[in-house]
């Protein structure tokens, strides 16, 4: 193909250039769809496998409940270190309440003050996330972090398998509660697994790219440099692309017609209001949003934990689960 420039000279648009663009575009799209394809129900089921072994060890007991640590192993080699808290003041069968909190809290989240409203209403279970934080993360850790995020979702699905083996749990009353860091995992697993009858997202949100950019922009040197916002936005988008199969906005609509609850803080400095609203708006009915006048939830805020727990208990009771 020929055309002419302003001086009348002939220019040649070479076919190799067109082919290069076509091939490059195809490669980019293929990589994108391969990444997104990792987020299918079939892909997570394959990652989970089947429950192959359970090892239990008692932890403690009091007048209200008794706690046991359990190690779950799947046929794929997936391992889950979890803690179970069983009521002593109520007769089985219990509702199965899987709670996921902050990254560093892991299975100890079910020991937190403020959750007393749950202790005599259902069997509580939580897990350690499949990633140890032993040092500051760098770019070399990205593959490890990404794998751990996928394993976290598969681990929740394996925990649901485990609850089905317990005669003291009513399989018709399984609920996932994700708090802060745990919110995306609860939403994703709830969307994938129809055995889950209700999902609660507490102080979580969607739009991972926007959320990542917001968090990056708060850190040095981004918050002090004129280029900080642009660089944070770019890195946030890159992180969201890398974790595209784990974007909670993709899964929250799959929970419907099962109920989903959202509790968020109006003054949350870590999860932007826009992110919280995005997740809520993409959910199907029935859905409930509760806004609390608070900043982001923290382990030391017992009163806020109690208020949040009471709202969640009331909602779950209204759904016939607790």
């Amino acid at each position: 193909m020929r055309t002419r420039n302003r001086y009348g000279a002939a220019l040649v648009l070479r076919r190799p250039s067109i082919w290069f663009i076509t091939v490059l575009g195809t490669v980019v799209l293929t990589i994108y769809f391969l990444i997104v394809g990792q987020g299918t129900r079939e892909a997570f089921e394959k990652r989970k496998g089947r429950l192959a072994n359970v090892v239990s060890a008692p932890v403690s007991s009091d007048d209200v409940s008794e706690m046991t640590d359990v190690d779950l192993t799947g046929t794929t080699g997936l391992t889950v270190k979890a803690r179970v808290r069983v009521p002593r003041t109520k007769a089985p069968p219990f509702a199965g309440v899987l709670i996921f909190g902050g990254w560093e809290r892991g299975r100890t989240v079910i020991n937190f003050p403020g959750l007393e409203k749950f202790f005599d209403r259902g069997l509580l279970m939580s897990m350690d996330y499949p990633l140890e934080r032993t040092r500051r993360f760098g770019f070399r850790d990205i593959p490890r972090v990404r794998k751990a995020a996928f394993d976290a979702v598969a681990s929740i699905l394996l925990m649901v398998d485990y609850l089905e083996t317990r005669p003291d749990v009513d399989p018709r009353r399984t609920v996932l509660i994700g708090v802060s860091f745990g919110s995306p995992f609860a939403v994703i697993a709830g969307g994938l697994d129809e055995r889950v009858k209700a999902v609660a997202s507490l102080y979580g949100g969607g739009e991972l790219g926007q959320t990542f950019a917001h968090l990056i922009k708060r850190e040095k040197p981004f918050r002090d440099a004129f280029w900080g916002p642009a660089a944070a936005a770019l890195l946030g988008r890159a992180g969201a692309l890398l974790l595209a199969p784990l974007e909670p906005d993709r899964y929250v609509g799959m929970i419907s017609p099962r109920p989903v609850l959202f509790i968020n803080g109006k003054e949350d400095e870590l999860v932007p209001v826009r992110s919280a609203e995005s997740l809520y708006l993409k959910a199907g009915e029935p859905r409930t949003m509760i806004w609390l006048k608070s900043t982001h939830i923290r382990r030391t805020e017992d009163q806020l934990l109690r208020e949040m727990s009471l709202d969640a208990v009331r909602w779950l009771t209204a759904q016939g689960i607790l």
Side-chain angles (χ1 to χ4, degrees):
M1 178 179 177
R2 293 176 179 271
T3 185
R4 293 182 178 274
N5 62 15
R6 58 185 295 190
Y7 302 106
L11 297 175
V12 178
L13 299 181
R14 298 182 179 179
R15 289 183 180 276
S17 299
I18 298 174
W19 280 110
F20 176 76
I21 294 173
T22 302
V23 171
L24 180 61
T26 301
V27 170
V28 171
L29 287 174
T30 300
I31 293 173
Y32 175 77
F33 284 114
L34 283 175
I35 291 175
V36 172
Q38 293 177 312
T40 63
R41 179 175 289 139
E42 293 75 16
F44 279 112
E45 282 290 331
K46 184 177 180 181
R47 197 178 199 98
K48 169 183 74 76
R50 300 183 308 279
L51 182 63
N53 191 43
V54 178
V55 178
S56 303
V59 175
S60 64
S61 179
D62 55 33
D63 293 338
V64 179
S65 62
E66 57 185 31
M67 285 190 290
T68 304
D69 279 348
V70 295
D71 291 348
L72 313 179
T73 305
T75 53
T76 62
L78 181 71
T79 59
V80 183
K81 294 187 176 298
R83 178 163 294 173
V84 178
R85 187 164 190 160
V86 182
R88 300 188 66 182
T89 59
K90 183 178 181 180
F94 309 115
V97 182
L98 304 184
I99 300 182
F100 311 100
W103 174 12
E104 296 179 339
R105 306 304 177 188
R107 70 179 108 177
T108 65
V109 70
I110 62 174
N111 302 348
F112 282 7
L115 296 178
E116 292 88 355
K117 296 294 183 181
F118 283 101
F119 293 164
D120 62 349
R121 291 174 174 263
L123 179 146
L124 304 185
M125 186 176 185
S126 192
M127 68 173 184
D128 288 339
Y129 292 103
L131 179 66
E132 293 184 6
R133 183 174 182 176
T134 57
R135 56 187 172 83
R136 190 175 184 84
F137 288 117
F139 285 106
R140 289 179 297 178
D141 298 300
I142 289 176
R144 184 169 64 96
V145 172
R146 190 174 188 274
K147 176 183 181 299
F150 280 90
D151 284 346
V153 176
S155 296
I156 295 175
L157 302 179
L158 195 65
M159 292 168 72
V160 177
D161 287 354
Y162 166 72
L163 289 184
E164 285 196 318
T165 69
R166 292 189 61 115
D168 58 350
V169 173
D170 182 351
R172 299 167 299 176
R173 294 189 290 145
T174 300
V175 59
L176 304 184
I177 301 177
V179 186
S180 186
F181 181 80
S183 168
F185 301 114
V187 168
I188 295 168
L192 292 170
D193 198 330
E194 294 180 353
R195 295 174 297 176
V196 174
K197 302 309 178 185
V199 177
S201 168
L202 314 181
Y203 288 82
E207 292 189 346
L208 289 182
Q210 292 287 341
T211 303
F212 290 162
H214 175 77
L215 294 174
I216 293 170
K217 191 167 55 176
R218 290 168 48 87
E219 301 296 325
K220 287 185 176 182
F222 299 93
R223 69 184 181 199
D224 300 323
F226 73 92
W227 46 263
L234 181 62
L235 289 174
R237 293 295 182 186
L241 177 61
L242 187 67
L243 295 175
L246 299 173
E247 169 59 70
D249 281 353
R250 293 182 57 213
Y251 298 90
V252 69
M254 298 166 60
I255 299 172
S256 180
R258 294 165 291 153
V260 56
L261 169 69
F262 303 90
I263 299 179
N264 286 87
K266 290 183 178 180
E267 300 170 2
D268 195 327
E269 72 282 15
L270 299 184
V271 179
V273 170
R274 173 179 171 178
S275 297
E277 290 179 338
S278 172
L279 193 61
Y280 171 74
L281 292 174
K282 288 182 173 63
E285 297 292 351
R287 59 186 180 181
T288 301
M289 170 63 88
I290 298 175
W291 287 101
L292 299 180
K293 187 176 176 57
S294 75
T295 55
H296 196 71
I297 189 71
R298 286 177 173 79
R299 161 70 177 83
T300 55
E301 298 176 350
D302 291 359
Q303 183 57 40
L304 181 56
L305 278 167
R306 290 189 176 91
E307 183 179 0
M308 180 186 69
S309 297
L310 182 58
D311 285 335
V313 166
R314 286 171 176 165
W315 179 80
L316 288 169
T317 302
Q319 309 306 317
I321 292 175
L322 291 184

